């Protein structure tokens, strides 16, 4: 995690992901990612309830990964390694299948 305006970088390791998928329309899928962190890499103390919003195309291609604190934008950004961990999870066969099976939004 990198806090805006800071030169301090903290690399989080994710132990487990808990996704909640929602189709927004025929083009976009939102995935709320809650996660458990490795005990060796706790979240920054400034964050209360860290999660991520992953926005994908209906084909499962990631467009954006946004860090959230208590469900809102926050003053942190994910590092390239943290995004890669999330990317690997989203691109897994199980999640790609779940995206493909989401019903169309009304």
């Amino acid at each position: 995690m990198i806090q805006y305006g800071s030169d301090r970088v903290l690399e989080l390791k994710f132990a487990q992901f808990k996704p909640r998928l929602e189709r927004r329309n025929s083009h976009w899928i939102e995935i709320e990612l809650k996660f458990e962190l490795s005990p060796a890499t706790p979240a920054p103390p400034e964050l209360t309830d860290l999660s991520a919003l992953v926005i994908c195309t209906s084909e499962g291609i990631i467009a954006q990964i946004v860090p959230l604190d208590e469900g809102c934008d926050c003053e942190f950004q994910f590092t390239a390694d943290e995004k890669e961990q999330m990317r690997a999870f989203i691109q897994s066969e199980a999640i790609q299948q779940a995206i493909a099976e989401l019903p169309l939004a009304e």
Side-chain angles (χ1 to χ4, degrees):
M1 304 272 349
I2 303 168
Q3 188 173 16
Y4 293 118
S6 174
D7 58 358
R8 185 184 77 160
V9 176
L10 174 67
E11 287 287 346
L12 301 179
K13 298 294 180 199
F14 302 105
Q16 181 179 8
F17 292 104
K18 299 172 188 168
R20 187 180 62 80
L21 290 76
E22 182 177 349
R23 183 179 295 276
R24 283 314 214 181
N25 55 40
S26 62
H27 303 289
W28 300 109
I29 309 287
E30 290 185 358
I31 303 172
E32 179 187 2
L33 269 187
K34 300 249 183 206
F35 30 73
E36 291 181 23
L37 297 173
S38 164
T41 62
E46 299 89 349
L47 297 173
T48 304
D49 183 23
L50 178 63
S51 63
L53 174 63
V54 182
I55 302 168
C56 298
T57 66
S58 56
E59 293 81 30
I61 299 168
I62 296 172
Q64 191 171 12
I65 300 175
V66 180
L68 303 175
D69 186 27
E70 296 183 317
C72 299
D73 288 344
C74 64
E75 59 184 49
F76 284 81
Q77 61 184 349
F78 290 114
T79 65
D81 182 63
E82 292 162 346
K83 287 181 182 179
E84 184 53 40
Q85 291 174 72
M86 287 182 250
R87 222 176 243 111
F89 176 75
I90 297 298
Q91 292 175 344
S92 70
E93 187 175 331
I95 297 300
Q96 289 296 305
Q97 183 67 34
I99 290 170
E101 293 174 357
L102 278 174
L104 290 175
E106 295 181 19

